[in-house]
Amino acid sequence: MRCGYTTGTCAAAAAYAAAQLLLLHKFQKTVSLTVPRGDVVTVPVALESASTDYVCCSAVKDSGDDPDITNGITVQVSVSLLSAKGDPSHSECGVLIQGGKGIGIVTKPGLERKVGEAAINSVPKQMITHAVQTVASAANFNGTLQVLISVPEGETIAKQTFNPRLGIEGGISILGTSGIVEPMSLNALLETIKTEIRVRAAEYDTKILTTGCKLVAPKRLILTPGNYGQTFCNKSFVKHVSTVICSNYIGYSLDYAVSQGFKSILLVGHIGKFIKLAGGIMDTHSKTADCRTELIAVHAAACGTPKIIIEKLLEAATTESCLDLLDAAVPQLTSQIINRILLRIQYYLDNRVSIGTDVKCGAWLFSQARGSIGQTEKAKQLITEWEQL
């Protein structure tokens, strides 16, 4: 299936084209960028308007074969001259990135951007800054440029997303951690997950670990929903254990892994998804079930958290902001609340795959801001066993 590119990639391409026309007086109808995942992406761009100190270019979002609500939207980027001269001690130009029409504004704490800021996430900001500074370097320009990002359809499109619930008002977010949109056709995705699990299972019969130890039963597997979990796995000792990205389909992937003979299965993921496992929810897509704050609030209440804090938890935008609230209001209870959640997650995992079998399955939760925040009991057992590999 065909991949697409993110709104962040669109913005970076349009910013590059606009800066190039402004500073080098050249315009390209396509811009090639190396995105964070390492791919080189070629994005068509269009010239919207220009003057001596201002250029606006645009790029149309292409989501590939992914059924993305933002597919086909136009991302407009204006680059304007704020200061022609910069600090002589700095070789790079200054880049001030702002949100314009159709870009949401953060109104609740706990998101990547602060309250009052435009919903332009850090990776897209880095991509845009790099694109503009690349052109500025070629032009020997070290002044300051303003980059204004707009999406004309953004306010309308945002009503069909979860932005209003998250506390992002007035438009969409400029997102993307890899720069690439992976196709999410359900049948194709599930078949891909199954195929990868089968391949990993077969490897246990033929491959040898880099340590020289033969792969023997029980077969070991890490399941992770995506980028954050995968990065976390790659940084830890579990690099010698097979890893499969399972997207939101935790239960489906667990069932199939067990059918392929895996006996030791570790789930690694962000608390924003895995909190749902504490409610027995094994399809973690927000359209299926979005009860993150409710689940945290229930366990916080059971640990004696005051009602006023429970009400704030229910209004929080993300699980990260829930943890911030707990740390600030009841720091003595935070670890107790997390432990209750981990116990409940283990309960549902056991009911799914372990009762009546010799399968051991646990979960390792982490937070973008905090790193590792907890492991279920069986996760601890698996990790101890795997450390001996």
Side-chain angles (χ1 to χ4, degrees):
M1 299 184 73
R2 189 171 65 90
C3 292
Y5 38 81
T6 63
T7 49
T9 298
C10 290
Y16 183 97
Q20 188 178 51
L21 182 55
L22 181 66
L23 299 179
L24 293 173
H25 311 294
K26 295 192 298 186
F27 177 72
Q28 299 176 215
K29 291 186 177 180
T30 60
V31 172
S32 294
L33 300 171
T34 300
V35 297
R37 199 178 75 170
D39 306 70
V40 176
V41 177
T42 300
V43 181
V45 294
L47 175 60
E48 298 286 339
S49 58
S51 69
T52 56
D53 58 359
Y54 158 94
V55 175
C56 179
C57 291
S58 64
V60 176
K61 169 83 178 291
D62 179 357
S63 300
D65 290 328
D66 186 71
D68 185 351
I69 190 65
T70 62
N71 184 49
I73 65 169
T74 298
V75 179
Q76 295 180 346
V77 179
S78 302
V79 177
S80 56
L81 189 64
L82 285 184
S83 172
K85 293 183 179 181
D87 186 337
S89 65
H90 294 107
S91 59
E92 291 185 333
C93 79
V95 181
L96 176 63
I97 300 174
Q98 297 180 319
K101 179 179 173 60
I103 302 299
I105 299 297
V106 175
T107 65
K108 290 184 178 181
L111 297 170
E112 186 177 310
R113 310 316 304 172
K114 295 179 181 178
V115 172
E117 291 185 349
I120 306 170
N121 280 6
S122 57
V123 172
K125 275 197 168 185
Q126 292 165 11
M127 294 173 65
I128 295 161
T129 299
H130 177 73
V132 171
Q133 288 181 339
T134 298
V135 175
S137 177
N140 293 316
F141 176 85
N142 73 335
T144 302
L145 296 173
Q146 180 187 55
V147 178
L148 182 67
I149 304 170
S150 304
V151 177
E153 315 100 307
E155 188 170 1
T156 301
I157 291 290
K159 295 174 183 178
Q160 303 175 57
T161 72
F162 279 87
N163 272 15
R165 171 164 181 162
L166 292 174
I168 299 173
E169 297 182 359
I172 66 166
S173 305
I174 301 299
L175 300 171
T177 56
S178 68
I180 298 294
V181 176
E182 298 280 359
M184 290 285 287
S185 165
L186 180 55
N187 289 337
L189 179 59
L190 295 181
E191 282 303 315
T192 298
I193 293 170
K194 287 172 62 177
T195 298
E196 190 166 1
I197 290 173
R198 284 199 304 270
V199 169
R200 301 305 180 203
E203 287 176 349
Y204 273 79
D205 298 324
T206 57
K207 285 190 175 181
I208 296 177
L209 286 173
T210 55
T211 58
C213 299
K214 291 185 178 180
L215 287 165
V216 294
K219 293 180 179 178
R220 305 173 176 95
L221 180 68
I222 295 166
L223 290 174
T224 180
N227 291 334
Y228 291 127
Q230 187 179 29
T231 300
F232 189 71
C233 289
N234 290 341
K235 291 181 179 178
S236 68
F237 65 87
V238 293
K239 61 185 178 181
H240 295 305
V241 181
S242 296
T243 301
V244 171
I245 297 178
C246 61
S247 186
N248 293 295
Y249 306 102
I250 310 298
Y252 180 92
S253 302
L254 278 174
D255 293 344
Y256 194 74
V258 172
S259 77
Q260 296 301 301
F262 284 99
K263 302 294 185 182
S264 297
I265 306 171
L266 179 63
L267 303 177
V268 179
H270 192 278
I271 187 173
K273 284 194 179 295
F274 279 8
I275 183 62
K276 299 178 186 181
L277 302 181
I281 299 162
M282 297 289 169
D283 178 346
T284 59
H285 196 289
S286 55
K287 290 184 179 179
T288 302
D290 191 19
C291 53
R292 297 164 296 164
T293 58
E294 288 85 352
L295 284 165
I296 292 177
V298 165
H299 288 281
C303 291
T305 303
K307 181 181 177 183
I308 188 172
I309 305 303
I310 299 299
E311 291 173 346
K312 289 181 179 180
L313 290 172
L314 292 171
E315 292 298 319
T318 67
T319 51
E320 296 272 5
S321 57
C322 285
L323 294 176
D324 289 340
L325 277 168
L326 292 172
D327 283 344
V330 287
Q332 73 280 8
L333 294 180
T334 303
S335 60
Q336 184 180 343
I337 294 165
I338 290 173
N339 286 336
R340 278 187 58 93
I341 290 168
L342 290 168
L343 284 170
R344 203 60 181 167
I345 290 173
Q346 189 64 67
Y347 169 82
Y348 282 112
L349 291 178
D350 286 343
N351 275 275
R352 184 83 186 206
V353 299
S354 297
I355 293 178
T357 74
D358 56 352
V359 175
K360 188 179 292 183
C361 177
W364 191 350
L365 280 63
F366 71 100
S367 149
Q368 188 176 6
R370 295 166 174 77
S372 175
I373 58 173
Q375 304 154 0
T376 67
E377 190 57 40
K378 286 189 179 176
K380 293 177 183 177
Q381 296 172 18
L382 289 173
I383 291 165
T384 299
E385 294 169 6
W386 291 2
E387 284 175 333
Q388 300 172 8
L389 287 173

